[in-house]
Every structure is written in structure tokens, then in C-alpha cells.
Amino acid sequence: DYKVEILMKRLMIVVPAYNEEEALPKTLDVLDGVLSDLIETNKVDKASKIVIVNDGSADKTWSIIEDAAAKNDHISGINFSRNYGHQNALIAGLTATRDYGDIFVTIDADLQDDVNAIPKMVAENANGFDIVYGARNSRETDSAFKRGTAEMFYKIMGKLGVEMVPDSADYRLMSQRAVDHLLEFKEHNLFLRGIVPRVGFPSTVVYYARKEREAGESKYPLKKMINFAWDGITSFSVAPMRFILAVGIFSMVIAVGMMIYAIYRELTGHTVAGWSSLMVSLWFIGGFQLIGISILGEYIGKIFNEVKDRPRYVIQDNLLSNQDFDDKQAEKHLDDGMGEV
């Protein structure tokens, strides 16, 4: 029995939540069922937990978390002082649980990602994989527009040299050493889908069928999806700036050609007043300059945010820090040099 207890790992399931009062009760019930099955079958340690990160919700999300944590020792929560965004909520959950867990699963609160993939992820980790990505096996639940734009995004990111797992989001399992190294990435412009593959370590993919959202509204409308994609591109590549340089050089070549042509027309006496062509050229060059300046400004803005080095988030309440773990597990983690529990 003692050997089995040593081999079992403590699982931390980190769930970011923003205005999820409609979906959260069922989400907690389903996740608790999966976690309980893993504990009963000796796949993970009995001190494993589900940690909900409330990302400054304006509804009753936090009160639901508090009530659930008071009734169930497997549930805990972290409450942001305001909304800091999905990626920061994931990082906060991993940071808060790193000293308590051995393996970590991140999953959204809408139940669109199949929770039945978690046991498969745990099994793959037992086979020696530090990172197990959850990836959808099809995009049948997406609209044709969303499916097409997603495929285009992955192709663009691949062309830019950004390593990503196709059709995967932020549903993944990570070992403790993988999380430790992930948290060493200090940039504030987070795009975890591109950062995690850079951590390295042995990895594999578990495929699942993505479902429709059962309750509540999507927290990623088109505008947010576009902003998220743009953040991913500008956080990992300077290709947009190089594109501006290429187009600028091309425009200068055309301008030189037009100048030579204009001189030729003047010398041959075929000069024609070209007000329309002049105005079109001015508008084209002016528009391109504004686009170029805005792209450069995007990068400068990211530099501005990074050098200020402000906190990524502020935690108002942390139920996890108030929940005791059993003495044997606490001693184990202290011996491993992970800090106090």
C-alpha cells in the first residue's frame, strides 16, 4: 500500500471562469465525478483538487465557487480583484497550485472540451509524457467561417515559424517540471498555445470530440478571436514589420519607374494632366503609411507594457491557501524542495 501511495500523483485541474454562473454548477459536478473516479481507481492521489480561477466575474460565479469549496474538499478557488483575461487566469491557477500538485490539467469551464479525455491524459503522463495536448478530432461543431479562419490562422502561424499543435486550445496536461519551466516565461503578452511547445519535454496528443456549449454565452466572440490571433502573431514574430519593409521597397521601385516614365513622357511632349492617378497614388501611399505606423505602434505598445513589468493579475481571495493537505503529502512536497504547503 505504501508503494502505491508514493507512485500516485496529485492532480490539479485548473479552470478559468468568467461570468459562468449558468454553466459552472454542472461543470463542477462533471469534473468532480471524473476526479473522484481517478482517485477511487488509484490513478491520482486523494488530495487532488479542482481549482476554479474567477476572472473578475460580474455575476455569481465566485459565490458558487465558495459554496462548492465549503461542501467539497476536492474543490477550491482563486478570485481575481478584476478581470485580467483568460491567459492570465490560466497562469495564475498554475502558479497558485504548483507547490501542491504533481500534474496539472487546464480546461475551460464551458464543458465544450470532453472531460473524459482527462483520464487518457493522466495515462499518457504515466507513460512518460510531460505534456499531453488535448486536440479536437474534427471541427464539425464550428461554422464554416470559423472553421476556415481557424485553418488559415494555423497555416499563417506555421509559416511564421511558430510551433503550435493544430486544433488544440488550452486543454492540456503538464507535469510539474514542465509547469516550472513554463512559469519562467515572464512576458505579459501571453499566448500559451505558442509558449507551451517551446518548453519542450516529451509530449503527445489526445484527440476528442468537441461539444456545443451547454449553458451561458461564448466568451470569445469574433472581435476577441481576432484580437487573440493578432496577439499570437505579434507576440511570436516580427514578420508583419518585415512585410512592411518589403512592400515599402517594392513601392519605391514602382515610384522610380514612374518617375523615369514621367520624364520620358515630358521629353516626348506627351504630358497629360493626371490628377486622378496622382490622387490615387497619394491615397495609396498615405494609407499604407498609416497601416505601417499602426503595426509598428503595436510592437512598441507591447514593449511599453513589458518594460513597465506590472503584475499580470491581483488575487483578492485564495481558498487554496486556506485548505490543508494531509501531513504525509505536505512532508513529501517539502522534501522535494517545492516550498511550504
Side-chain angles (χ1 to χ4, degrees), residues 92-103:
L94 292 173
T95 302
T97 59
R98 67 185 294 183
D99 290 338
Y100 302 111
D102 301 302
I103 51 177

Side-chain angles (χ1 to χ4, degrees), residues 20-322:
E20 293 286 2
E21 66 175 357
E22 294 182 39
L24 195 56
K26 183 172 182 179
T27 299
L28 290 173
D29 184 58
V30 172
L31 286 175
D32 184 51
V34 172
L35 183 59
S36 297
D37 288 342
L38 287 170
I39 293 172
E40 291 172 4
T41 55
N42 293 323
K43 299 293 176 55
V44 299
D45 188 85
K46 62 182 180 180
S48 299
K49 289 188 180 293
I50 302 163
V51 180
I52 314 296
V53 182
N54 179 40
D55 186 20
S57 299
D59 59 7
K60 297 179 181 179
T61 296
W62 179 242
S63 61
I64 293 173
I65 296 170
E66 287 185 305
D67 292 342
K71 299 174 183 177
N72 190 334
D73 290 338
H74 291 157
I75 298 174
S76 187
I78 296 168
N79 186 30
F80 279 176
S81 61
R82 55 176 289 272
N83 177 251
Y84 286 96
H86 179 269
Q87 301 290 280
N88 284 320
L90 289 173
I91 285 292
L94 292 173
T95 302
T97 59
R98 67 185 294 183
D99 290 338
Y100 302 111
D102 301 302
I103 51 177
F104 307 80
V105 168
T106 55
I107 183 173
D108 289 342
D110 54 19
L111 287 182
Q112 287 188 271
D113 297 318
D114 186 6
V115 297
N116 294 314
I118 294 178
K120 298 176 184 178
M121 292 179 175
V122 172
E124 292 291 358
N125 173 256
N127 290 333
F129 292 101
D130 286 87
I131 302 175
V132 184
Y133 298 98
R136 57 174 69 185
N137 54 18
S138 70
R139 285 188 170 270
E140 293 179 356
T141 58
D142 290 346
S143 64
F145 175 77
K146 187 174 182 180
R147 185 163 53 248
T149 52
E151 292 174 355
M152 182 176 65
F153 173 68
Y154 284 112
K155 288 180 181 178
I156 291 174
M157 295 298 281
K159 294 290 185 182
L160 296 178
V162 182
E163 184 182 354
M164 293 178 62
V165 178
D167 296 323
S168 69
D170 290 304
Y171 185 23
R172 65 179 73 88
L173 177 146
M174 301 182 70
S175 67
Q176 188 181 62
R177 67 172 180 172
V179 168
D180 287 342
H181 286 285
L182 172 65
L183 296 180
E184 291 176 358
F185 288 74
K186 299 301 182 181
E187 59 255 47
H188 290 249
N189 298 293
L190 290 170
F191 186 69
L192 293 177
R193 301 182 196 186
I195 294 176
V196 172
R198 294 196 172 202
V199 174
F201 297 120
S203 64
T204 187
V205 180
V206 168
Y207 292 95
Y208 65 93
R210 187 170 170 83
K211 306 174 183 178
E212 296 282 355
R213 170 182 274 271
E214 296 193 20
E217 297 179 354
S218 172
K219 304 306 181 292
Y220 266 89
L222 179 60
K223 182 180 178 180
K224 278 194 174 183
M225 288 176 60
I226 293 174
N227 290 336
F228 186 64
W230 179 245
D231 282 340
I233 292 172
T234 54
S235 294
F236 280 86
S237 176
V238 295
M241 288 192 291
R242 290 176 179 171
F243 174 74
I244 292 172
L245 174 62
V247 175
I249 294 173
F250 180 69
S251 298
M252 289 181 64
V253 171
I254 293 177
V256 171
M258 290 298 293
M259 182 179 66
I260 295 173
Y261 177 72
I263 293 173
Y264 167 77
R265 298 285 290 182
E266 177 70 23
L267 292 175
T268 57
H270 294 89
T271 304
V272 178
W275 183 87
S276 298
S277 60
L278 178 62
M279 292 303 295
V280 169
S281 298
L282 286 174
W283 278 101
F284 176 79
I285 296 299
F288 177 76
Q289 287 177 333
L290 289 175
I291 293 173
I293 291 171
S294 66
I295 292 178
L296 292 175
E298 180 76 18
Y299 282 93
I300 294 171
K302 288 183 180 293
I303 296 171
F304 178 67
N305 289 329
E306 293 290 344
V307 297
K308 286 188 295 186
D309 197 28
R310 291 177 177 174
R312 289 169 171 167
Y313 50 83
V314 175
I315 294 178
Q316 180 173 311
D317 305 287
N318 187 349
L319 302 181
L320 187 66
S321 63
N322 297 326

